[in-house]
Amino acid sequence: MTETWEAPLHLRRTGIDPVGELAKARDDERVVRVETPAGPPAYLVSRYEDVRQVLADTARFSSAGTPFSAAGQENAGVAGQLITLDPPEHTRLRRLLTPEFTVRRMSRLQPRITEIVETALDELERAGKPADLVAHFALPVPSLVICDLLGVPYADRAGFHERAVRILDTSLPVEDRVAAQREDHDYMAGLVARAQADPGEDMLGMLVREHGRELTSAELTGIAGLLLLAGHDTTSNMLGLGTLALLWHPDQLAMLRDDPGLVEPAVEELLRWLSIVQTPPPRTTTTEVEIAGHTIPAGSLVLCSLPAANRDPALIGDPEILDITRGTTGHVAFGHGAHHCLGAPLARMELRIVLPALLRRFPDLALADTDDRVDFRVFSLVYGVRSLRVTW
C-alpha cells in the first residue's frame, strides 16, 4: 500500500464515518472537483437528490464510454459488464438476469444460506477466542453462497478474493489492478467454457441452457465475473463493518440481539449508515448539464458519493446517528435507477439471516482489540475492515 498517498475526497473516512470535508462539500459547495485514482479529475456530486438525478438519467450521464471499468481503472473489456453499459444493451442483459434475483427466487436459497451460516458459526467457535470474524465468518459465508449460486468451486475462493482486493484497491498502480482484472477475466472464461460444455444446475448453467443463443461467451464471462465480485466482496465487507458498527453501539446491538423482529429495519439502517460502496462507476456527461447551480461540460466525468448522499439531512433527520429502529427506506446504498444493484434481494436476505444468528450464538460478542487497532480498507472502493478480532 502507498502509505504517503492520500485518498481522494470521496474515499476518505474517519473510522466508519465519511470525513467532515465530504459533508461540507455536500452542504456548502454541492458539486466539487476531485482527483480520481487514475485518469482525469471528476465532478463529485454528493447531495441525495442530485445523486439520484445522476444515477437515474442514463441519457445525460452515460455509464459507457469512459476510460474506467467497474474497478475504476482502464477497462480490459466490458462485454457483459452491466454496470458499464447503457440502455438498450444494459436493458437486454438485465432483463435476462432479473428473474433470477427476485425476492421470491432468492427466498428458495434461505435454507442453504442458514446451513452455511450455522456451519461458519461452528468454525468460528472452534477457532477459539479471540478470533478474526472476517477470516472465519464474514468472508466465508457470502463466498460460499455466491459459489453455490454461480457454480464456482469453493476451493478457488482464496484466489478470487485476492484478485477482488487488488481490483478495488486504489492505492495500487493501475497496471497491477488491470492485471488482476485480466486474471479474473481469464478465470471466469474457463468456468464459462466448462459450463458451455456441461451446464449444471447453477445460475451459470441456467444461463447457458436458457440463453446460450442470446449471450456470447464474452458476455457470459463478464456477467459471471461481475456477479462473483459483487456477490462476495460487498456482502463480506457489509458483515464485517456492520458487526463493528453494532459493537461500537452496544445499545443498538442489545436491541437487535433481544428482538430479532428488528432485523429488517436494522439491515436497512446499517446499509444506509455504512454505505460500503463509496461510489458507483463514474458517469460521463453526454451534453452540458447543470447540477445544484453548477455547470458541468459535456464529456466530463461525474462521481456520486453514496455515503454523503445517505447521510444527507434531506433524506432523514439526524442522519449521523445510527438508529436501527427506523429502517430508512429510499437510501442509495444499492444505487438507484437502471443500475440499482441486481443482487440487492440476495444481500438483504444474507444480512437478515446472518446478524441475528451471530448475536444468538454469541450474545456476549465483543471486540478483542482496542478501537484504534481496527484495520480499515482505507483505499478501497468497497469500504470495510481487513480483519476484526472478536471475543465472546
Side-chain angles (χ1 to χ4, degrees):
M1 179 177 291
T2 308
E3 297 293 344
T4 58
W5 183 77
E6 184 180 27
L9 177 60
H10 57 287
L11 298 183
R12 293 181 206 160
R13 300 217 187 188
T14 303
I16 288 177
D17 299 323
V19 293
E21 296 95 322
L22 190 55
K24 184 178 185 300
R26 176 194 66 214
D27 299 336
D28 297 344
E29 300 170 78
R30 300 186 173 186
V31 177
V32 296
R33 293 268 278 175
V34 296
E35 296 300 315
T36 56
Y43 289 87
L44 181 65
V45 176
S46 49
R47 294 197 312 167
Y48 175 71
E49 288 300 336
D50 296 335
V51 166
R52 283 169 55 90
Q53 175 188 342
V54 170
L55 297 182
D57 190 346
T58 58
R60 296 191 303 158
F61 300 94
S62 172
S63 295
T66 79
F68 299 89
S69 71
Q73 63 202 31
E74 290 184 14
N75 206 337
V78 297
Q81 294 278 344
L82 277 75
I83 56 177
T84 57
L85 297 174
D86 289 332
E89 193 63 13
H90 172 271
T91 308
R92 177 182 71 87
L93 294 179
R94 181 149 182 144
R95 186 178 295 123
L96 299 179
L97 291 170
T98 296
E100 297 305 311
F101 284 93
T102 61
V103 173
R104 184 175 181 180
R105 187 69 63 90
M106 289 295 102
S107 66
R108 298 178 185 176
L109 299 175
Q110 185 168 337
R112 175 58 178 148
I113 294 174
T114 299
E115 178 186 351
I116 289 170
V117 169
E118 292 302 323
T119 300
L121 287 170
D122 292 341
E123 292 294 331
L124 178 62
E125 192 165 11
R126 276 195 290 269
K129 53 186 179 182
D132 182 359
L133 185 82
V134 173
H136 293 288
F137 188 68
L139 183 58
V141 168
S143 294
L144 189 49
V145 170
I146 200 67
C147 284
D148 272 12
L149 187 66
L150 289 176
V152 177
Y154 187 57
D156 296 346
R157 67 192 183 281
F160 66 68
H161 174 64
E162 184 272 338
R163 291 190 296 271
V165 170
R166 288 161 57 200
I167 289 170
L168 296 168
D169 187 349
T170 62
S171 72
L172 295 178
V174 172
E175 296 79 11
D176 291 354
R177 297 170 66 206
V178 169
Q181 195 174 44
R182 287 175 177 154
E183 291 167 19
D184 205 55
H185 179 274
D186 291 344
Y187 171 76
M188 296 311 302
L191 289 183
V192 166
R194 287 197 289 274
Q196 289 172 322
D198 183 19
E201 296 304 314
D202 50 77
M203 184 177 293
L204 194 52
M206 178 278 298
L207 288 172
V208 169
R209 285 195 308 275
E210 298 183 11
H211 305 291
R213 294 184 178 181
E214 302 168 75
L215 294 169
T216 66
S217 295
E219 287 174 334
L220 283 166
T221 298
I223 290 169
L226 177 60
L227 294 178
L228 181 63
L229 175 66
H232 91 276
D233 197 71
T234 53
T235 307
S236 67
N237 281 288
M238 187 66 202
L239 292 177
L241 202 63
T243 302
L244 176 62
L246 292 171
L247 290 171
W248 276 358
H249 294 80
D251 59 324
Q252 304 291 300
L253 185 150
M255 282 194 292
L256 180 56
R257 180 194 62 211
D258 299 339
D259 183 3
L262 283 174
V263 66
E264 290 197 21
V267 165
E268 295 307 315
E269 177 70 349
L270 285 167
L271 286 165
R272 177 199 72 82
W273 197 72
L274 296 173
S275 298
I276 61 161
V277 176
Q278 312 262 43
T279 176
R283 270 48 172 180
T284 302
T285 52
T286 60
T287 185
E288 181 179 280
V289 297
E290 183 174 314
I291 301 177
H294 293 259
T295 300
I296 300 178
S300 300
L301 288 180
V302 176
L303 286 170
C304 293
S305 172
L306 302 186
N310 278 334
R311 294 200 184 190
D312 189 339
L315 169 62
I316 194 169
D318 298 321
E320 301 298 329
I321 294 175
L322 177 67
D323 179 0
I324 66 168
T325 66
R326 59 185 171 186
T328 311
T329 58
H331 61 73
V332 289
F334 288 117
H336 178 66
H339 290 278
H340 182 271
C341 178
L342 186 66
L346 177 60
R348 283 186 165 106
M349 185 170 64
E350 288 186 68
L351 293 170
R352 290 168 182 169
I353 293 172
V354 167
L355 292 175
L358 176 64
L359 300 182
R360 188 168 55 246
R361 178 73 69 93
F362 302 111
D364 298 320
L365 192 71
L367 284 176
D369 292 324
T370 56
D371 292 353
D372 60 353
R373 292 192 62 186
V374 175
D375 189 11
F376 292 98
R377 292 174 46 156
V378 177
F379 296 96
S380 180
L381 292 168
V382 177
Y383 198 63
V385 288
R386 292 186 179 87
S387 62
L388 191 67
R389 290 189 352 124
V390 296
T391 187
W392 50 87

